Amino acid sequence: LVKHGFLTRRRPTDAQWKDIRFGWEIAKEMGRLDIGQCVVVSNGSVMAVEAIDGTDSTIRRGGGLCNGNAVVVKVCKPMQDFRFDVPAVGAQTVRSMHETGATVLVIEAGRSLVFDKEEMISLANQWGILFICTHHHYWFNKKIASVKS
């Protein structure tokens, strides 16, 4: 399980902060409805929602529509059963993002697994992908509060 913070060198732009907050809220709602754990957003629009096809497929579907502006958010469902389905990302997640030009990955700290962590971070840094782990959307409210709507 990963801790709260930035895992890569890049930091979000103001527009990316807006999409991060929007994506987080949508992902949490999709989880509440027991649909999936991952969404791809861009410029305030939902590009893809995870279903049975999984995270990598969701990234490919949504990221391919965004011309390099995709934000991928993966969170726990509000009533997540950690015995069976823990949100997870890894090096393959970053490869899928790179293939489609997705630039930001946000996961829930303390509630998500990261496989191949060193390789994942190395690839993300190499390809300019921003990787953030956070506890809850309140963490970036300060950043977003200064962003004009």
Side-chain angles (χ1 to χ4, degrees), residues 72 89 93-94 97 103-107 120 129-132:
V72 177
V89 294
T93 308
V94 173
M97 291 178 68
T103 56
V104 179
L105 174 62
V106 180
I107 64 170
M120 184 180 182
I129 295 171
L130 168 61
F131 185 15
I132 303 172

Side-chain angles (χ1 to χ4, degrees), residues 3 7 11 39 71 80 85 104 137 140:
K3 295 181 181 179
L7 295 182
R11 297 298 181 259
V39 297
V71 171
Q80 189 78 44
D85 186 20
V104 179
H137 75 271
F140 33 84

Side-chain angles (χ1 to χ4, degrees), residues 81-131:
D81 187 340
F82 289 97
R83 296 173 300 166
F84 304 107
D85 186 20
V86 179
V89 294
Q92 183 56 48
T93 308
V94 173
R95 287 185 190 97
S96 295
M97 291 178 68
H98 177 65
E99 289 170 11
T100 65
T103 56
V104 179
L105 174 62
V106 180
I107 64 170
E108 197 162 0
R111 303 184 79 192
S112 303
L113 294 175
V114 175
F115 294 102
D116 314 312
K117 184 177 175 182
E118 285 78 28
E119 179 184 6
M120 184 180 182
I121 292 170
S122 175
L123 289 172
N125 279 322
Q126 175 184 339
W127 293 326
I129 295 171
L130 168 61
F131 185 15

Side-chain angles (χ1 to χ4, degrees), residues 38-52:
C38 177
V39 297
V40 177
V41 300
S42 181
N43 298 314
S45 296
V46 175
M47 299 291 122
V49 174
E50 181 181 23
I52 197 69

Side-chain angles (χ1 to χ4, degrees), residues 35-38 49-55 58 61:
I35 294 171
Q37 302 168 326
C38 177
V49 174
E50 181 181 23
I52 197 69
D53 57 344
T55 301
T58 304
R61 280 188 291 112

